[in-house]
mmCIF file of all heavy atoms in Angstrom:
data_model
loop_
_atom_site.group_PDB
_atom_site.id
_atom_site.type_symbol
_atom_site.label_atom_id
_atom_site.label_comp_id
_atom_site.label_asym_id
_atom_site.label_seq_id
_atom_site.Cartn_x
_atom_site.Cartn_y
_atom_site.Cartn_z
ATOM 1 N N ASP A 1058 110.624 91.769 108.541
ATOM 2 C CA ASP A 1058 110.471 90.556 107.752
ATOM 3 C C ASP A 1058 111.602 89.592 108.148
ATOM 4 O O ASP A 1058 112.148 89.698 109.255
ATOM 5 C CB ASP A 1058 110.466 90.886 106.245
ATOM 6 C CG ASP A 1058 111.762 91.567 105.790
ATOM 7 O OD1 ASP A 1058 112.724 91.654 106.568
ATOM 8 O OD2 ASP A 1058 111.807 92.004 104.624
ATOM 9 N N TYR A 1060 114.546 89.529 107.422
ATOM 10 C CA TYR A 1060 115.915 90.055 107.336
ATOM 11 C C TYR A 1060 116.200 91.328 108.142
ATOM 12 O O TYR A 1060 117.306 91.865 108.067
ATOM 13 C CB TYR A 1060 116.274 90.298 105.871
ATOM 14 C CG TYR A 1060 116.583 89.009 105.161
ATOM 15 C CD1 TYR A 1060 115.573 88.200 104.694
ATOM 16 C CD2 TYR A 1060 117.894 88.579 105.031
ATOM 17 C CE1 TYR A 1060 115.841 86.997 104.071
ATOM 18 C CE2 TYR A 1060 118.174 87.379 104.411
ATOM 19 C CZ TYR A 1060 117.144 86.590 103.931
ATOM 20 O OH TYR A 1060 117.429 85.404 103.332
ATOM 21 N N TYR A 1108 125.042 89.350 111.130
ATOM 22 C CA TYR A 1108 124.347 90.077 110.075
ATOM 23 C C TYR A 1108 125.366 90.895 109.292
ATOM 24 O O TYR A 1108 126.203 91.585 109.891
ATOM 25 C CB TYR A 1108 123.327 91.042 110.677
ATOM 26 C CG TYR A 1108 122.122 90.378 111.287
ATOM 27 C CD1 TYR A 1108 121.837 90.513 112.642
ATOM 28 C CD2 TYR A 1108 121.241 89.640 110.501
ATOM 29 C CE1 TYR A 1108 120.709 89.940 113.201
ATOM 30 C CE2 TYR A 1108 120.102 89.055 111.060
ATOM 31 C CZ TYR A 1108 119.841 89.206 112.415
ATOM 32 O OH TYR A 1108 118.741 88.634 112.969
ATOM 33 N N GLU A 1134 105.565 100.074 104.644
ATOM 34 C CA GLU A 1134 104.841 101.324 104.379
ATOM 35 C C GLU A 1134 105.783 102.511 104.182
ATOM 36 O O GLU A 1134 105.402 103.529 103.605
ATOM 37 C CB GLU A 1134 103.852 101.623 105.512
ATOM 38 C CG GLU A 1134 102.900 100.500 105.847
ATOM 39 C CD GLU A 1134 101.903 100.165 104.742
ATOM 40 O OE1 GLU A 1134 101.758 100.949 103.803
ATOM 41 O OE2 GLU A 1134 101.292 99.076 104.824
ATOM 42 N N ASN A 1140 111.565 106.220 98.642
ATOM 43 C CA ASN A 1140 111.881 106.257 97.207
ATOM 44 C C ASN A 1140 111.339 107.475 96.472
ATOM 45 O O ASN A 1140 111.532 107.614 95.264
ATOM 46 C CB ASN A 1140 111.349 104.987 96.523
ATOM 47 C CG ASN A 1140 112.156 103.763 96.895
ATOM 48 O OD1 ASN A 1140 112.963 103.806 97.820
ATOM 49 N ND2 ASN A 1140 111.946 102.671 96.182
ATOM 50 N N ARG A 1165 123.895 105.797 97.258
ATOM 51 C CA ARG A 1165 124.460 106.368 96.040
ATOM 52 C C ARG A 1165 125.307 107.617 96.331
ATOM 53 O O ARG A 1165 126.308 107.845 95.675
ATOM 54 C CB ARG A 1165 123.317 106.722 95.089
ATOM 55 C CG ARG A 1165 123.726 106.981 93.675
ATOM 56 C CD ARG A 1165 123.981 105.669 92.931
ATOM 57 N NE ARG A 1165 122.751 105.134 92.433
ATOM 58 C CZ ARG A 1165 122.234 105.498 91.245
ATOM 59 N NH1 ARG A 1165 122.877 106.330 90.467
ATOM 60 N NH2 ARG A 1165 121.112 105.003 90.842
ATOM 61 N N ASP A 1172 125.278 97.253 96.624
ATOM 62 C CA ASP A 1172 124.242 96.218 96.739
ATOM 63 C C ASP A 1172 123.099 96.702 97.633
ATOM 64 O O ASP A 1172 122.270 95.921 98.050
ATOM 65 C CB ASP A 1172 124.844 94.910 97.259
ATOM 66 C CG ASP A 1172 125.424 95.055 98.656
ATOM 67 O OD1 ASP A 1172 125.357 96.161 99.243
ATOM 68 O OD2 ASP A 1172 125.954 94.058 99.182
ATOM 69 N N ARG A 1197 116.887 104.837 101.064
ATOM 70 C CA ARG A 1197 116.332 104.735 99.714
ATOM 71 C C ARG A 1197 116.523 103.313 99.188
ATOM 72 O O ARG A 1197 117.610 102.740 99.306
ATOM 73 C CB ARG A 1197 117.034 105.722 98.784
ATOM 74 C CG ARG A 1197 116.299 105.988 97.477
ATOM 75 C CD ARG A 1197 116.776 105.189 96.270
ATOM 76 N NE ARG A 1197 118.203 105.273 96.035
ATOM 77 C CZ ARG A 1197 118.845 104.454 95.192
ATOM 78 N NH1 ARG A 1197 118.201 103.499 94.536
ATOM 79 N NH2 ARG A 1197 120.149 104.578 95.050
ATOM 80 N N GLY A 1198 115.455 102.726 98.676
ATOM 81 C CA GLY A 1198 115.533 101.396 98.099
ATOM 82 C C GLY A 1198 115.870 100.300 99.095
ATOM 83 O O GLY A 1198 116.385 99.245 98.706
ATOM 84 N N GLN A 1230 96.625 111.807 99.896
ATOM 85 C CA GLN A 1230 95.723 111.548 98.779
ATOM 86 C C GLN A 1230 94.382 112.214 99.026
ATOM 87 O O GLN A 1230 93.766 112.789 98.138
ATOM 88 C CB GLN A 1230 95.509 110.034 98.612
ATOM 89 C CG GLN A 1230 96.766 109.237 98.322
ATOM 90 C CD GLN A 1230 97.354 109.529 96.972
ATOM 91 O OE1 GLN A 1230 96.648 109.510 95.978
ATOM 92 N NE2 GLN A 1230 98.636 109.853 96.915
ATOM 93 N N MET B 1206 111.466 98.227 93.903
ATOM 94 C CA MET B 1206 111.370 99.231 94.964
ATOM 95 C C MET B 1206 112.527 99.120 95.947
ATOM 96 O O MET B 1206 112.913 100.100 96.556
ATOM 97 C CB MET B 1206 110.051 99.057 95.716
ATOM 98 C CG MET B 1206 108.847 99.562 94.953
ATOM 99 S SD MET B 1206 108.799 101.379 94.827
ATOM 100 C CE MET B 1206 108.456 101.841 96.536
ATOM 101 N N TYR B 1207 113.020 97.886 96.171
ATOM 102 C CA TYR B 1207 114.107 97.697 97.133
ATOM 103 C C TYR B 1207 114.833 96.386 96.892
ATOM 104 O O TYR B 1207 114.455 95.620 96.000
ATOM 105 C CB TYR B 1207 113.629 97.860 98.564
ATOM 106 C CG TYR B 1207 112.555 96.918 99.105
ATOM 107 C CD1 TYR B 1207 112.376 96.800 100.489
ATOM 108 C CD2 TYR B 1207 111.712 96.178 98.296
ATOM 109 C CE1 TYR B 1207 111.410 95.977 101.031
ATOM 110 C CE2 TYR B 1207 110.746 95.360 98.838
ATOM 111 C CZ TYR B 1207 110.592 95.269 100.198
ATOM 112 O OH TYR B 1207 109.626 94.451 100.738
ATOM 113 N N TYR B 1275 107.847 88.559 97.210
ATOM 114 C CA TYR B 1275 108.267 89.957 97.078
ATOM 115 C C TYR B 1275 107.821 90.581 95.747
ATOM 116 O O TYR B 1275 107.721 91.797 95.653
ATOM 117 C CB TYR B 1275 109.765 90.098 97.327
ATOM 118 C CG TYR B 1275 110.063 90.058 98.813
ATOM 119 C CD1 TYR B 1275 110.553 88.922 99.437
ATOM 120 C CD2 TYR B 1275 109.791 91.175 99.600
ATOM 121 C CE1 TYR B 1275 110.793 88.898 100.808
ATOM 122 C CE2 TYR B 1275 110.033 91.157 100.965
ATOM 123 C CZ TYR B 1275 110.527 90.020 101.570
ATOM 124 O OH TYR B 1275 110.741 90.007 102.926
ATOM 125 N N ARG B 1281 102.444 96.298 95.478
ATOM 126 C CA ARG B 1281 101.683 97.202 96.348
ATOM 127 C C ARG B 1281 102.494 98.446 96.684
ATOM 128 O O ARG B 1281 101.988 99.564 96.655
ATOM 129 C CB ARG B 1281 101.265 96.486 97.637
ATOM 130 C CG ARG B 1281 100.559 97.425 98.594
ATOM 131 C CD ARG B 1281 99.795 96.709 99.674
ATOM 132 N NE ARG B 1281 100.621 96.084 100.675
ATOM 133 C CZ ARG B 1281 101.162 96.723 101.717
ATOM 134 N NH1 ARG B 1281 100.979 98.019 101.877
ATOM 135 N NH2 ARG B 1281 101.886 96.072 102.603
ATOM 136 N N GLN B 1288 101.519 106.799 93.454
ATOM 137 C CA GLN B 1288 100.471 107.740 93.860
ATOM 138 C C GLN B 1288 101.074 108.879 94.671
ATOM 139 O O GLN B 1288 100.714 110.042 94.525
ATOM 140 C CB GLN B 1288 99.411 107.025 94.710
ATOM 141 C CG GLN B 1288 98.701 105.879 94.017
ATOM 142 C CD GLN B 1288 97.819 106.335 92.891
ATOM 143 O OE1 GLN B 1288 97.010 107.228 93.067
ATOM 144 N NE2 GLN B 1288 97.984 105.762 91.715
ATOM 145 N N ALA B 1295 112.209 106.920 92.788
ATOM 146 C CA ALA B 1295 113.581 106.455 92.573
ATOM 147 C C ALA B 1295 113.644 104.948 92.791
ATOM 148 O O ALA B 1295 113.707 104.477 93.920
ATOM 149 C CB ALA B 1295 114.536 107.173 93.531
ATOM 150 N N GLU B 1301 122.374 98.262 90.596
ATOM 151 C CA GLU B 1301 122.085 98.072 92.026
ATOM 152 C C GLU B 1301 121.253 96.808 92.220
ATOM 153 O O GLU B 1301 121.501 96.011 93.124
ATOM 154 C CB GLU B 1301 121.314 99.272 92.580
ATOM 155 C CG GLU B 1301 122.154 100.528 92.764
ATOM 156 C CD GLU B 1301 121.341 101.735 93.222
ATOM 157 O OE1 GLU B 1301 120.132 101.825 92.895
ATOM 158 O OE2 GLU B 1301 121.903 102.603 93.903
ATOM 159 N N TYR B 1309 116.821 84.646 100.335
ATOM 160 C CA TYR B 1309 115.574 84.425 101.086
ATOM 161 C C TYR B 1309 115.604 83.222 102.016
ATOM 162 O O TYR B 1309 114.552 82.733 102.414
ATOM 163 C CB TYR B 1309 114.376 84.283 100.134
ATOM 164 C CG TYR B 1309 114.203 85.405 99.152
ATOM 165 C CD1 TYR B 1309 114.377 85.192 97.791
ATOM 166 C CD2 TYR B 1309 113.874 86.694 99.569
ATOM 167 C CE1 TYR B 1309 114.215 86.221 96.862
ATOM 168 C CE2 TYR B 1309 113.723 87.729 98.653
ATOM 169 C CZ TYR B 1309 113.887 87.482 97.310
ATOM 170 O OH TYR B 1309 113.740 88.490 96.408
ATOM 171 N N GLU B 1310 116.784 82.712 102.354
ATOM 172 C CA GLU B 1310 116.827 81.527 103.223
ATOM 173 C C GLU B 1310 116.201 81.803 104.597
ATOM 174 O O GLU B 1310 115.521 80.962 105.165
ATOM 175 C CB GLU B 1310 118.269 81.033 103.393
ATOM 176 C CG GLU B 1310 118.816 80.317 102.169
ATOM 177 C CD GLU B 1310 118.005 79.088 101.781
ATOM 178 O OE1 GLU B 1310 117.527 78.370 102.676
ATOM 179 O OE2 GLU B 1310 117.847 78.854 100.561
ATOM 180 N N ARG B 1311 116.465 83.002 105.133
ATOM 181 C CA ARG B 1311 115.886 83.320 106.452
ATOM 182 C C ARG B 1311 114.378 83.496 106.379
ATOM 183 O O ARG B 1311 113.652 83.153 107.305
ATOM 184 C CB ARG B 1311 116.500 84.615 106.988
ATOM 185 C CG ARG B 1311 117.923 84.458 107.423
ATOM 186 C CD ARG B 1311 118.427 85.766 108.004
ATOM 187 N NE ARG B 1311 119.795 85.981 107.604
ATOM 188 C CZ ARG B 1311 120.390 87.160 107.550
ATOM 189 N NH1 ARG B 1311 119.726 88.254 107.901
ATOM 190 N NH2 ARG B 1311 121.637 87.262 107.172
#
Side-chain angles (χ1 to χ4, degrees):
Chain A
D1058 60 8
Y1060 284 81
Y1108 289 118
E1134 307 294 346
N1140 288 12
R1165 195 78 84 86
D1172 63 1
R1197 196 263 308 167
Q1230 299 292 310
Chain B
M1206 285 289 291
Y1207 61 162
Y1275 282 102
R1281 176 164 72 82
Q1288 300 292 309
E1301 286 176 331
Y1309 306 113
E1310 285 300 323
R1311 288 183 219 157

